[in-house]
Protein backbone atom coordinates (compact mmCIF):
# COMPACT_ATOMS: atom_id res chain seq x y z
CA UNK A 1 0.00 0.00 0.00
CA UNK A 2 2.03 2.90 -1.25
CA UNK A 3 0.99 6.47 -1.77
CA UNK A 4 -2.39 6.84 -3.41
CA UNK A 5 -3.42 9.30 -6.09
CA UNK A 6 -5.11 12.34 -4.56
CA UNK A 7 -8.38 11.63 -6.37
CA UNK A 8 -8.66 8.23 -4.67
CA UNK A 9 -10.48 9.39 -1.55
CA UNK A 10 -10.91 7.29 1.61
CA UNK A 11 -14.55 6.78 0.64
CA UNK A 12 -13.52 5.31 -2.73
CA UNK A 13 -11.06 3.02 -0.98
CA UNK A 14 -13.80 1.84 1.35
CA UNK A 15 -15.96 1.23 -1.73
CA UNK A 16 -13.21 -0.89 -3.29
CA UNK A 17 -12.58 -3.14 -0.28
CA UNK A 18 -16.32 -3.41 0.45
CA UNK A 19 -16.90 -4.47 -3.16
CA UNK A 20 -14.58 -7.44 -2.66
CA UNK A 21 -16.58 -8.50 0.39
CA UNK A 22 -19.97 -7.78 -1.18
CA UNK A 23 -19.23 -9.74 -4.36
CA UNK A 24 -18.31 -12.68 -2.15
CA UNK A 25 -21.62 -12.25 -0.36
CA UNK A 26 -23.34 -12.02 -3.77
CA UNK A 27 -22.65 -15.74 -4.03
CA UNK A 28 -25.58 -16.23 -1.64
CA UNK A 29 -27.88 -14.84 -4.31
CA UNK A 30 -26.11 -16.61 -7.17
CA UNK A 31 -26.18 -20.00 -5.44
CA UNK A 32 -29.74 -19.76 -4.09
CA UNK A 33 -31.08 -18.31 -7.34
CA UNK A 34 -29.32 -21.00 -9.37
CA UNK A 35 -31.63 -23.62 -7.85
CA UNK A 36 -34.64 -21.88 -9.40
CA UNK A 37 -33.25 -22.31 -12.91
CA UNK A 38 -31.44 -25.63 -12.33
CA UNK A 39 -34.33 -27.68 -10.93
CA UNK A 40 -36.88 -26.91 -13.70
CA UNK A 41 -34.28 -27.80 -16.36
CA UNK A 42 -33.40 -31.04 -14.58
CA UNK A 43 -37.10 -31.99 -14.48
CA UNK A 44 -37.29 -31.88 -18.28
CA UNK A 45 -37.68 -35.29 -20.00
CA UNK A 46 -34.40 -34.87 -21.93
CA UNK A 47 -32.34 -33.88 -18.85
CA UNK A 48 -28.94 -35.58 -18.53
CA UNK A 49 -29.52 -35.73 -14.75
CA UNK A 50 -33.16 -36.73 -14.05
CA UNK A 51 -34.49 -35.77 -10.59
CA UNK A 52 -37.63 -36.11 -8.47
CA UNK A 53 -39.02 -33.85 -5.72
CA UNK A 54 -36.87 -35.45 -3.02
CA UNK A 55 -33.55 -35.18 -4.85
CA UNK A 56 -34.49 -31.68 -6.03
CA UNK A 57 -35.13 -30.49 -2.48
CA UNK A 58 -31.75 -31.92 -1.40
CA UNK A 59 -29.99 -30.07 -4.20
CA UNK A 60 -31.63 -26.84 -3.05
CA UNK A 61 -31.23 -27.37 0.70
CA UNK A 62 -27.87 -29.14 1.18
CA UNK A 63 -26.37 -25.66 1.45
CA UNK A 64 -27.67 -25.54 5.03
CA UNK A 65 -25.51 -28.49 6.11
CA UNK A 66 -22.47 -27.01 4.43
CA UNK A 67 -23.09 -23.62 5.99
CA UNK A 68 -22.69 -25.22 9.41
CA UNK A 69 -19.25 -26.55 8.45
CA UNK A 70 -18.26 -23.15 7.10
CA UNK A 71 -19.40 -21.52 10.33
CA UNK A 72 -17.03 -23.71 12.36
CA UNK A 73 -14.08 -23.28 10.02
CA UNK A 74 -14.04 -19.51 9.54
CA UNK A 75 -13.72 -18.24 13.17
CA UNK A 76 -10.30 -19.89 13.58
CA UNK A 77 -9.04 -18.50 10.26
CA UNK A 78 -10.42 -15.03 11.08
CA UNK A 79 -8.81 -14.95 14.52
CA UNK A 80 -5.43 -16.57 13.73
CA UNK A 81 -4.70 -15.61 10.13
CA UNK A 82 -6.78 -12.50 9.54
CA UNK A 83 -10.04 -11.41 7.95
CA UNK A 84 -8.54 -10.98 4.48
CA UNK A 85 -7.06 -14.49 4.53
CA UNK A 86 -10.44 -15.88 5.59
CA UNK A 87 -12.07 -13.99 2.72
CA UNK A 88 -9.64 -15.55 0.26
CA UNK A 89 -10.14 -19.00 1.78
CA UNK A 90 -13.92 -18.73 1.37
CA UNK A 91 -13.59 -18.07 -2.38
CA UNK A 92 -11.68 -21.30 -3.11
CA UNK A 93 -14.54 -23.80 -2.50
CA UNK A 94 -16.93 -21.46 -4.29
CA UNK A 95 -14.87 -21.50 -7.50
CA UNK A 96 -14.35 -25.28 -7.28
CA UNK A 97 -18.08 -25.76 -6.70
CA UNK A 98 -19.06 -23.87 -9.86
CA UNK A 99 -16.64 -25.89 -12.00
CA UNK A 100 -17.99 -29.12 -10.49
CA UNK A 101 -21.47 -28.05 -11.60
CA UNK A 102 -20.21 -27.29 -15.11
CA UNK A 103 -18.81 -30.84 -15.40
CA UNK A 104 -21.61 -32.61 -13.47
CA UNK A 105 -23.25 -35.71 -14.97
CA UNK A 106 -24.89 -37.11 -11.81
CA UNK A 107 -26.89 -36.00 -8.77
CA UNK A 108 -23.93 -36.94 -6.55
CA UNK A 109 -21.64 -34.47 -8.33
CA UNK A 110 -24.28 -31.74 -8.05
CA UNK A 111 -24.66 -32.40 -4.33
CA UNK A 112 -20.88 -32.25 -3.81
CA UNK A 113 -20.71 -28.99 -5.77
CA UNK A 114 -23.59 -27.46 -3.82
CA UNK A 115 -21.97 -28.58 -0.56
CA UNK A 116 -18.73 -26.79 -1.49
CA UNK A 117 -20.71 -23.67 -2.37
CA UNK A 118 -22.57 -23.85 0.92
CA UNK A 119 -19.24 -24.22 2.74
CA UNK A 120 -18.07 -20.98 1.14
CA UNK A 121 -21.37 -19.29 1.97
CA UNK A 122 -21.06 -20.35 5.61
CA UNK A 123 -17.60 -18.83 5.80
CA UNK A 124 -18.60 -15.54 4.18
CA UNK A 125 -21.88 -15.21 6.09
CA UNK A 126 -20.17 -14.44 9.41
CA UNK A 127 -17.05 -12.92 7.82
CA UNK A 128 -18.66 -10.40 5.46
CA UNK A 129 -20.51 -8.14 7.92
CA UNK A 130 -17.59 -8.20 10.36
CA UNK A 131 -15.07 -7.24 7.69
CA UNK A 132 -17.15 -4.39 6.29
CA UNK A 133 -17.86 -3.17 9.84
CA UNK A 134 -14.11 -3.00 10.47
CA UNK A 135 -13.21 -1.47 7.10
CA UNK A 136 -15.71 1.38 6.97
CA UNK A 137 -16.52 4.63 8.79
CA UNK A 138 -19.49 4.66 11.21
CA UNK A 139 -21.28 7.31 9.13
CA UNK A 140 -21.16 5.11 6.01
CA UNK A 141 -21.18 1.67 7.59
CA UNK A 142 -24.94 1.18 7.32
CA UNK A 143 -24.92 1.94 3.59
CA UNK A 144 -21.96 -0.35 2.92
CA UNK A 145 -23.55 -3.17 4.91
CA UNK A 146 -26.82 -2.64 3.04
CA UNK A 147 -24.82 -2.97 -0.18
CA UNK A 148 -24.37 -6.64 0.77
CA UNK A 149 -28.07 -7.27 0.26
CA UNK A 150 -27.98 -5.25 -2.97
CA UNK A 151 -25.28 -7.51 -4.40
CA UNK A 152 -27.20 -10.60 -3.25
CA UNK A 153 -30.29 -9.30 -5.04
CA UNK A 154 -28.24 -8.52 -8.14
CA UNK A 155 -26.86 -12.05 -7.99
CA UNK A 156 -30.39 -13.50 -7.97
CA UNK A 157 -31.43 -11.35 -10.95
CA UNK A 158 -28.22 -12.17 -12.79
CA UNK A 159 -28.57 -15.94 -12.43
CA UNK A 160 -32.31 -15.94 -13.16
CA UNK A 161 -31.76 -13.85 -16.30
CA UNK A 162 -28.95 -16.08 -17.53
CA UNK A 163 -31.00 -19.18 -16.80
CA UNK A 164 -33.88 -17.86 -18.86
CA UNK A 165 -31.72 -17.84 -22.00
CA UNK A 166 -28.92 -20.38 -21.42
CA UNK A 167 -28.48 -23.89 -20.05
CA UNK A 168 -27.53 -24.39 -16.43
CA UNK A 169 -23.98 -25.42 -17.48
CA UNK A 170 -23.39 -22.20 -19.43
CA UNK A 171 -24.87 -20.16 -16.58
CA UNK A 172 -22.48 -21.81 -14.11
CA UNK A 173 -19.50 -21.04 -16.36
CA UNK A 174 -20.32 -17.33 -16.52
CA UNK A 175 -20.76 -17.16 -12.74
CA UNK A 176 -17.39 -18.88 -12.19
CA UNK A 177 -15.67 -16.02 -14.02
CA UNK A 178 -17.51 -13.49 -11.82
CA UNK A 179 -16.22 -15.23 -8.69
CA UNK A 180 -12.68 -15.21 -10.12
CA UNK A 181 -12.93 -11.44 -10.66
CA UNK A 182 -13.90 -11.07 -6.99
CA UNK A 183 -10.82 -13.10 -6.06
CA UNK A 184 -8.61 -10.50 -7.75
CA UNK A 185 -10.27 -7.66 -5.80
CA UNK A 186 -9.74 -9.43 -2.47
CA UNK A 187 -6.09 -10.12 -3.31
CA UNK A 188 -5.50 -6.37 -3.69
CA UNK A 189 -7.43 -5.44 -0.51
CA UNK A 190 -5.65 -4.77 2.82
CA UNK A 191 -6.02 -6.61 6.10
CA UNK A 192 -8.57 -5.39 8.66
CA UNK A 193 -7.11 -2.67 10.95
CA UNK A 194 -9.06 -4.10 13.90
CA UNK A 195 -7.39 -7.50 13.48
CA UNK A 196 -3.97 -5.90 13.11
CA UNK A 197 -4.56 -4.03 16.39
CA UNK A 198 -5.66 -7.23 18.10
CA UNK A 199 -2.38 -8.85 16.97
CA UNK A 200 -0.31 -5.98 18.37
CA UNK A 201 0.76 -4.79 14.91
CA UNK A 202 -0.03 -1.17 15.71
CA UNK A 203 2.08 0.52 13.04
CA UNK A 204 0.43 -1.56 10.32
CA UNK A 205 -2.93 -0.91 11.94
CA UNK A 206 -2.43 2.87 11.79
CA UNK A 207 -1.21 2.68 8.20
CA UNK A 208 -4.19 0.62 6.99
CA UNK A 209 -6.71 2.56 9.08
CA UNK A 210 -5.56 5.93 7.71
CA UNK A 211 -5.40 4.53 4.18
CA UNK A 212 -9.03 3.47 4.52
CA UNK A 213 -10.40 6.32 6.62
CA UNK A 214 -8.04 9.26 6.12
CA UNK A 215 -6.85 11.38 9.07
CA UNK A 216 -10.27 12.49 10.32
CA UNK A 217 -11.06 9.47 12.51
CA UNK A 218 -7.91 9.17 14.60
CA UNK A 219 -9.97 9.28 17.80
CA UNK A 220 -11.59 5.92 16.97
CA UNK A 221 -8.18 4.56 15.89
CA UNK A 222 -6.46 5.47 19.16
CA UNK A 223 -9.35 4.15 21.29
CA UNK A 224 -9.18 0.86 19.40
CA UNK A 225 -5.42 0.60 19.86
CA UNK A 226 -5.62 1.56 23.56
CA UNK A 227 -8.22 -1.13 24.19
CA UNK A 228 -6.10 -3.66 22.32
CA UNK A 229 -2.95 -2.67 24.22
CA UNK A 230 -4.62 -3.20 27.54
CA UNK A 231 -5.99 -6.57 26.50
CA UNK A 232 -2.52 -7.69 25.46
CA UNK A 233 -1.07 -6.41 28.74
CA UNK A 234 -3.76 -8.28 30.64
CA UNK A 235 -2.80 -11.53 28.92
CA UNK A 236 0.69 -11.30 30.38
CA UNK A 237 -0.71 -11.58 33.91
CA UNK A 238 -2.08 -15.02 33.08
CA UNK A 239 0.20 -17.97 33.92
CA UNK A 240 0.59 -20.36 31.00
CA UNK A 241 -0.54 -23.84 32.12
CA UNK A 242 2.25 -26.45 32.01
CA UNK A 243 0.20 -29.67 31.92
CA UNK A 244 -2.62 -30.98 29.76
CA UNK A 245 -4.95 -31.21 32.75
CA UNK A 246 -4.30 -27.58 33.65
CA UNK A 247 -4.89 -26.52 30.05
CA UNK A 248 -8.25 -28.30 29.97
CA UNK A 249 -9.22 -26.78 33.32
CA UNK A 250 -8.15 -23.32 32.12
CA UNK A 251 -10.09 -23.62 28.87
CA UNK A 252 -13.22 -24.76 30.68
CA UNK A 253 -12.89 -21.83 33.07
CA UNK A 254 -12.45 -19.46 30.12
CA UNK A 255 -15.55 -20.83 28.39
CA UNK A 256 -17.56 -20.57 31.59
CA UNK A 257 -16.39 -17.01 32.19
CA UNK A 258 -16.88 -15.85 28.62
CA UNK A 259 -20.38 -17.31 28.34
CA UNK A 260 -21.46 -15.24 31.35
CA UNK A 261 -20.32 -11.93 29.94
CA UNK A 262 -23.05 -9.61 28.74
CA UNK A 263 -20.96 -8.32 25.82
CA UNK A 264 -20.65 -11.94 24.62
CA UNK A 265 -24.01 -13.60 25.14
CA UNK A 266 -26.36 -10.67 24.53
CA UNK A 267 -25.28 -10.04 20.91
CA UNK A 268 -25.38 -13.78 20.20
CA UNK A 269 -28.90 -14.10 21.64
CA UNK A 270 -30.07 -11.15 19.56
CA UNK A 271 -28.43 -12.35 16.34
CA UNK A 272 -29.80 -15.88 16.74
CA UNK A 273 -33.28 -14.39 16.48
CA UNK A 274 -32.39 -11.82 13.82
CA UNK A 275 -30.86 -14.48 11.57
CA UNK A 276 -33.83 -16.78 12.21
CA UNK A 277 -36.17 -13.94 11.30
CA UNK A 278 -34.21 -13.28 8.10
CA UNK A 279 -34.46 -16.89 6.94
CA UNK A 280 -38.13 -17.46 7.77
CA UNK A 281 -39.10 -14.12 6.21
CA UNK A 282 -38.89 -15.84 2.83
CA UNK A 283 -35.85 -14.50 0.96
CA UNK A 284 -34.32 -17.88 0.16
CA UNK A 285 -37.70 -19.47 -0.45
CA UNK A 286 -38.53 -16.84 -3.05
CA UNK A 287 -35.06 -17.19 -4.61
CA UNK A 288 -34.98 -21.02 -4.78
CA UNK A 289 -38.66 -21.72 -5.50
CA UNK A 290 -39.65 -18.58 -7.42
CA UNK A 291 -41.45 -20.43 -10.20
CA UNK A 292 -43.30 -22.72 -7.74
CA UNK A 293 -44.53 -19.74 -5.70
CA UNK A 294 -45.77 -17.84 -8.75
CA UNK A 295 -47.55 -20.99 -9.96
CA UNK A 296 -49.21 -21.54 -6.56
CA UNK A 297 -50.30 -17.92 -6.14
CA UNK A 298 -51.31 -16.77 -9.63
CA UNK A 299 -51.53 -20.02 -11.62
CA UNK A 300 -49.98 -20.67 -15.02
CA UNK A 301 -51.83 -18.04 -17.05
CA UNK A 302 -49.09 -15.39 -16.82
CA UNK A 303 -45.60 -15.47 -18.32
CA UNK A 304 -43.85 -16.96 -15.28
CA UNK A 305 -40.26 -16.31 -16.42
CA UNK A 306 -41.09 -12.68 -17.12
CA UNK A 307 -42.68 -12.42 -13.67
CA UNK A 308 -39.54 -13.91 -12.09
CA UNK A 309 -37.22 -11.39 -13.76
CA UNK A 310 -39.60 -8.53 -12.94
CA UNK A 311 -39.58 -9.58 -9.28
CA UNK A 312 -35.77 -9.67 -9.26
CA UNK A 313 -35.62 -6.16 -10.75
CA UNK A 314 -38.00 -4.93 -8.07
CA UNK A 315 -35.75 -6.52 -5.43
CA UNK A 316 -32.74 -4.59 -6.73
CA UNK A 317 -34.67 -1.31 -6.82
CA UNK A 318 -35.88 -1.90 -3.26
CA UNK A 319 -32.35 -2.75 -2.12
CA UNK A 320 -31.03 0.40 -3.76
CA UNK A 321 -33.63 2.47 -1.96
CA UNK A 322 -32.71 0.77 1.30
CA UNK A 323 -29.06 1.85 0.88
CA UNK A 324 -30.17 5.50 1.11
CA UNK A 325 -32.98 5.04 3.62
CA UNK A 326 -30.76 3.16 6.08
CA UNK A 327 -28.54 6.25 6.38
CA UNK A 328 -31.55 8.30 7.55
CA UNK A 329 -33.69 5.89 9.53
CA UNK A 330 -32.81 4.18 12.80
CA UNK A 331 -32.13 0.45 12.68
CA UNK A 332 -34.96 -0.50 15.04
CA UNK A 333 -37.49 1.67 13.21
CA UNK A 334 -36.60 0.17 9.85
CA UNK A 335 -36.63 -3.38 11.23
CA UNK A 336 -40.08 -3.08 12.77
CA UNK A 337 -41.56 -1.28 9.75
CA UNK A 338 -40.28 -3.71 7.13
CA UNK A 339 -41.00 -6.85 9.16
CA UNK A 340 -44.51 -5.53 9.79
CA UNK A 341 -44.99 -5.33 6.01
CA UNK A 342 -43.53 -8.83 5.74
CA UNK A 343 -46.08 -10.22 8.21
CA UNK A 344 -48.89 -8.50 6.30
CA UNK A 345 -47.65 -10.04 3.02
CA UNK A 346 -47.51 -13.53 4.55
CA UNK A 347 -50.98 -13.39 6.07
CA UNK A 348 -52.59 -11.62 3.10
CA UNK A 349 -51.11 -14.15 0.65
CA UNK A 350 -52.23 -17.01 2.89
CA UNK A 351 -55.78 -15.63 3.03
CA UNK A 352 -55.84 -14.98 -0.73
CA UNK A 353 -54.61 -18.45 -1.74
CA UNK A 354 -56.92 -20.15 0.77
CA UNK A 355 -59.98 -18.28 -0.48
CA UNK A 356 -58.92 -18.82 -4.08
CA UNK A 357 -58.51 -22.55 -3.53
CA UNK A 358 -61.96 -22.81 -1.92
CA UNK A 359 -63.73 -20.54 -4.46
CA UNK A 360 -64.52 -17.91 -1.80
CA UNK A 361 -63.34 -14.88 -3.77
CA UNK A 362 -66.05 -12.60 -5.22
CA UNK A 363 -63.46 -11.28 -7.69
CA UNK A 364 -60.08 -12.54 -8.78
CA UNK A 365 -57.31 -11.38 -11.09
CA UNK A 366 -53.65 -12.43 -11.48
CA UNK A 367 -52.64 -8.86 -10.61
CA UNK A 368 -53.76 -9.47 -7.00
CA UNK A 369 -51.35 -12.36 -6.52
CA UNK A 370 -48.56 -10.54 -8.35
CA UNK A 371 -49.02 -7.49 -6.12
CA UNK A 372 -48.88 -9.61 -2.95
CA UNK A 373 -45.66 -11.31 -4.06
CA UNK A 374 -44.11 -7.93 -4.88
CA UNK A 375 -45.13 -6.53 -1.48
CA UNK A 376 -43.51 -9.56 0.11
CA UNK A 377 -40.33 -9.01 -1.91
CA UNK A 378 -40.30 -5.30 -1.00
CA UNK A 379 -40.29 -6.16 2.71
CA UNK A 380 -37.48 -8.66 2.17
CA UNK A 381 -35.30 -6.41 0.03
CA UNK A 382 -35.60 -3.33 2.24
CA UNK A 383 -35.48 -5.01 5.63
CA UNK A 384 -35.20 -8.73 6.33
CA UNK A 385 -32.21 -9.31 4.01
CA UNK A 386 -30.02 -6.22 4.61
CA UNK A 387 -30.75 -5.61 8.30
CA UNK A 388 -29.40 -8.91 9.70
CA UNK A 389 -26.05 -8.24 7.99
CA UNK A 390 -26.03 -4.61 9.15
CA UNK A 391 -26.81 -5.51 12.74
CA UNK A 392 -24.29 -8.38 12.73
CA UNK A 393 -21.60 -5.98 11.58
CA UNK A 394 -22.29 -3.69 14.53
CA UNK A 395 -23.21 -5.69 17.65
CA UNK A 396 -20.34 -8.17 18.13
CA UNK A 397 -17.41 -7.07 20.37
CA UNK A 398 -13.93 -7.15 18.83
CA UNK A 399 -12.51 -9.68 21.29
CA UNK A 400 -15.19 -12.30 20.57
CA UNK A 401 -16.25 -11.21 17.08
CA UNK A 402 -15.03 -14.32 15.26
CA UNK A 403 -16.47 -16.79 17.78
CA UNK A 404 -19.73 -14.93 18.37
CA UNK A 405 -20.29 -14.42 14.66
CA UNK A 406 -19.75 -18.10 13.95
CA UNK A 407 -22.07 -19.27 16.72
CA UNK A 408 -24.93 -17.00 15.69
CA UNK A 409 -24.58 -17.75 11.97
CA UNK A 410 -24.99 -21.41 12.91
CA UNK A 411 -28.66 -20.59 13.34
CA UNK A 412 -28.72 -18.91 9.93
CA UNK A 413 -27.41 -22.17 8.46
CA UNK A 414 -29.83 -24.47 10.24
CA UNK A 415 -32.82 -22.25 9.48
CA UNK A 416 -31.81 -21.95 5.83
CA UNK A 417 -31.75 -25.74 5.55
CA UNK A 418 -35.06 -26.19 7.37
CA UNK A 419 -36.94 -23.56 5.38
CA UNK A 420 -35.64 -24.57 1.94
CA UNK A 421 -35.82 -28.35 2.51
CA UNK A 422 -39.38 -28.29 3.84
CA UNK A 423 -40.95 -26.10 1.14
CA UNK A 424 -42.09 -29.03 -1.09
CA UNK A 425 -43.47 -30.90 1.94
CA UNK A 426 -45.34 -27.89 3.37
CA UNK A 427 -46.77 -26.80 0.02
CA UNK A 428 -47.93 -30.34 -0.76
CA UNK A 429 -49.47 -31.19 2.62
CA UNK A 430 -50.63 -27.81 3.98
CA UNK A 431 -50.80 -25.64 0.90
CA UNK A 432 -49.01 -22.35 0.46
CA UNK A 433 -51.50 -20.74 2.87
CA UNK A 434 -50.57 -23.12 5.69
CA UNK A 435 -46.85 -22.67 5.07
CA UNK A 436 -47.15 -18.88 5.04
CA UNK A 437 -49.05 -18.83 8.33
CA UNK A 438 -46.25 -20.90 9.90
CA UNK A 439 -43.63 -18.50 8.53
CA UNK A 440 -45.57 -15.54 9.93
CA UNK A 441 -45.68 -17.09 13.42
CA UNK A 442 -41.90 -17.64 13.51
CA UNK A 443 -41.14 -14.16 12.16
CA UNK A 444 -43.55 -12.57 14.63
CA UNK A 445 -41.88 -14.29 17.58
CA UNK A 446 -38.41 -13.16 16.49
CA UNK A 447 -39.67 -9.60 16.04
CA UNK A 448 -40.88 -9.55 19.66
CA UNK A 449 -37.42 -10.63 20.84
CA UNK A 450 -35.81 -7.87 18.76
CA UNK A 451 -38.23 -5.32 20.23
CA UNK A 452 -37.22 -6.32 23.76
CA UNK A 453 -33.45 -6.72 23.45
CA UNK A 454 -32.02 -5.04 20.33
CA UNK A 455 -30.35 -1.66 21.09
CA UNK A 456 -30.16 1.15 18.56
CA UNK A 457 -26.80 0.99 16.73
CA UNK A 458 -27.08 3.67 14.06
CA UNK A 459 -24.20 6.21 13.95
CA UNK A 460 -22.46 4.69 16.95
CA UNK A 461 -18.90 3.36 17.05
CA UNK A 462 -18.36 -0.35 17.59
CA UNK A 463 -16.77 0.42 20.97
CA UNK A 464 -19.83 2.39 22.12
CA UNK A 465 -22.14 -0.48 21.17
CA UNK A 466 -19.91 -2.96 22.99
CA UNK A 467 -19.91 -0.75 26.09
CA UNK A 468 -23.72 -0.70 26.11
CA UNK A 469 -23.86 -4.50 26.11
CA UNK A 470 -21.27 -4.62 28.87
CA UNK A 471 -23.22 -2.07 30.87
CA UNK A 472 -20.22 0.20 31.35
CA UNK A 473 -17.25 1.53 29.32
CA UNK A 474 -13.93 -0.29 29.17
CA UNK A 475 -12.07 1.71 31.84
CA UNK A 476 -8.30 1.13 32.20
CA UNK A 477 -8.46 2.26 35.81
CA UNK A 478 -11.17 -0.29 36.64
CA UNK A 479 -9.47 -2.99 34.61
CA UNK A 480 -6.20 -2.46 36.45
CA UNK A 481 -7.85 -2.66 39.84
CA UNK A 482 -6.98 -5.59 42.04
CA UNK A 483 -10.41 -7.14 41.63
CA UNK A 484 -10.07 -7.28 37.84
CA UNK A 485 -6.56 -8.65 38.01
CA UNK A 486 -7.54 -11.30 40.53
CA UNK A 487 -10.42 -12.37 38.36
CA UNK A 488 -8.16 -12.42 35.32
CA UNK A 489 -5.53 -14.55 37.01
CA UNK A 490 -8.11 -16.97 38.28
CA UNK A 491 -9.55 -17.64 34.84
CA UNK A 492 -6.23 -17.23 33.01
CA UNK A 493 -7.74 -16.32 29.67
CA UNK A 494 -10.33 -13.73 30.65
CA UNK A 495 -8.98 -11.58 27.84
CA UNK A 496 -11.39 -8.71 27.95
CA UNK A 497 -11.19 -8.32 31.74
CA UNK A 498 -14.67 -6.90 31.90
CA UNK A 499 -16.91 -7.40 34.90
CA UNK A 500 -18.47 -10.88 34.83
CA UNK A 501 -22.20 -10.62 35.31
CA UNK A 502 -25.34 -12.64 34.81
CA UNK A 503 -28.82 -11.27 34.16
Amino acid sequence: MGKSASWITPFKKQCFVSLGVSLNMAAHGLVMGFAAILLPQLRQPDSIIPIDDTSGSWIAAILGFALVAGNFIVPTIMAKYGRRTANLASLAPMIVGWFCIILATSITTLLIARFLQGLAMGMSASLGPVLIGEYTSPKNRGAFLTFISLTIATGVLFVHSLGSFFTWQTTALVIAFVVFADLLIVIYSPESPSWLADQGRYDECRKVFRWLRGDGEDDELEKMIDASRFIREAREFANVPDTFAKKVKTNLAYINTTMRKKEFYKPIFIMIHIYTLGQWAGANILAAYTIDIFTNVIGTEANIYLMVITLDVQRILSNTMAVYVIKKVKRRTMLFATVGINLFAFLATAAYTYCKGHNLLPFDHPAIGIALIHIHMFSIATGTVPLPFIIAGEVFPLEYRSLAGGLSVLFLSSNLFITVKTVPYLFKNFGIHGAYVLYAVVVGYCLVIAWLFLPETKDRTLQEIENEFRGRPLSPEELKSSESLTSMKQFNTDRRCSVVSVI
Side-chain angles (χ1 to χ4, degrees), residues 205-260:
C205 172
R206 289 189 177 93
K207 183 178 179 181
V208 173
F209 188 94
R210 288 170 178 151
W211 184 84
L212 287 167
R213 310 277 193 93
D215 299 323
E217 300 182 23
D218 278 4
D219 184 56
E220 179 182 349
L221 170 63
E222 295 307 321
K223 285 182 178 179
M224 177 176 65
I225 290 177
D226 288 344
S228 177
R229 282 186 192 280
F230 184 80
I231 292 166
R232 293 183 64 82
E233 290 173 6
R235 292 172 187 164
E236 298 176 2
F237 286 96
N239 297 319
V240 179
D242 53 1
T243 66
F244 177 77
K246 287 183 179 180
K247 289 180 180 179
V248 172
K249 184 176 180 181
T250 298
N251 289 335
L252 291 175
Y254 167 67
I255 293 172
N256 179 58
T257 304
T258 302
M259 293 293 290
R260 294 165 58 197

Side-chain angles (χ1 to χ4, degrees), residues 73 87-88 159 256 322 368 400 404 492:
I73 292 171
N87 206 15
L88 288 169
V159 72
N256 179 58
I368 299 174
Y400 311 114
N492 195 32

Side-chain angles (χ1 to χ4, degrees), residues 94-312:
M94 182 61 71
I95 294 175
V96 174
W98 283 116
F99 279 102
C100 284
I101 288 178
I102 295 168
L103 302 173
T105 56
S106 68
I107 293 177
T108 302
T109 306
L110 286 177
L111 290 174
I112 292 173
R114 298 281 286 179
F115 184 89
L116 289 172
Q117 292 174 334
L119 184 71
M121 289 170 62
M123 296 174 71
S124 64
S126 56
L127 167 67
V130 169
L131 192 48
I132 287 183
E134 294 177 350
Y135 273 151
T136 58
S137 302
K139 62 181 179 181
N140 297 317
R141 189 189 307 130
F144 280 118
L145 288 167
T146 307
F147 193 69
I148 291 177
S149 63
L150 180 59
T151 56
I152 292 174
T154 304
V156 174
L157 171 62
F158 185 66
V159 72
H160 283 173
S161 300
L162 285 175
S164 299
F165 298 100
F166 302 105
T167 65
W168 53 270
Q169 296 99 326
T170 303
T171 301
L173 179 62
V174 174
I175 295 172
F177 281 105
V178 173
V179 178
F180 181 76
D182 180 41
L183 178 65
L184 296 178
I185 296 175
V186 176
I187 287 173
Y188 286 99
S189 297
E191 183 52 82
S192 159
S194 297
W195 183 80
L196 291 171
D198 191 52
Q199 299 299 303
R201 295 157 62 176
Y202 302 123
D203 290 338
E204 291 180 68
C205 172
R206 289 189 177 93
K207 183 178 179 181
V208 173
F209 188 94
R210 288 170 178 151
W211 184 84
L212 287 167
R213 310 277 193 93
D215 299 323
E217 300 182 23
D218 278 4
D219 184 56
E220 179 182 349
L221 170 63
E222 295 307 321
K223 285 182 178 179
M224 177 176 65
I225 290 177
D226 288 344
S228 177
R229 282 186 192 280
F230 184 80
I231 292 166
R232 293 183 64 82
E233 290 173 6
R235 292 172 187 164
E236 298 176 2
F237 286 96
N239 297 319
V240 179
D242 53 1
T243 66
F244 177 77
K246 287 183 179 180
K247 289 180 180 179
V248 172
K249 184 176 180 181
T250 298
N251 289 335
L252 291 175
Y254 167 67
I255 293 172
N256 179 58
T257 304
T258 302
M259 293 293 290
R260 294 165 58 197
K261 293 182 178 180
K262 289 183 179 181
E263 65 267 32
F264 179 79
Y265 70 77
K266 277 190 174 182
I268 291 179
F269 176 76
I270 291 169
M271 286 311 305
I272 284 172
H273 289 84
I274 296 295
Y275 277 137
T276 300
L277 183 153
Q279 293 304 307
W280 286 81
N284 290 317
I285 297 169
L286 274 174
Y289 295 97
T290 319
I291 296 174
D292 301 84
I293 290 173
F294 268 108
T295 303
N296 275 276
V297 175
I298 66 175
T300 57
E301 296 84 3
N303 185 331
I304 299 297
Y305 281 99
L306 177 61
M307 293 297 101
V308 169
I309 294 175
T310 303
L311 185 68
D312 293 337

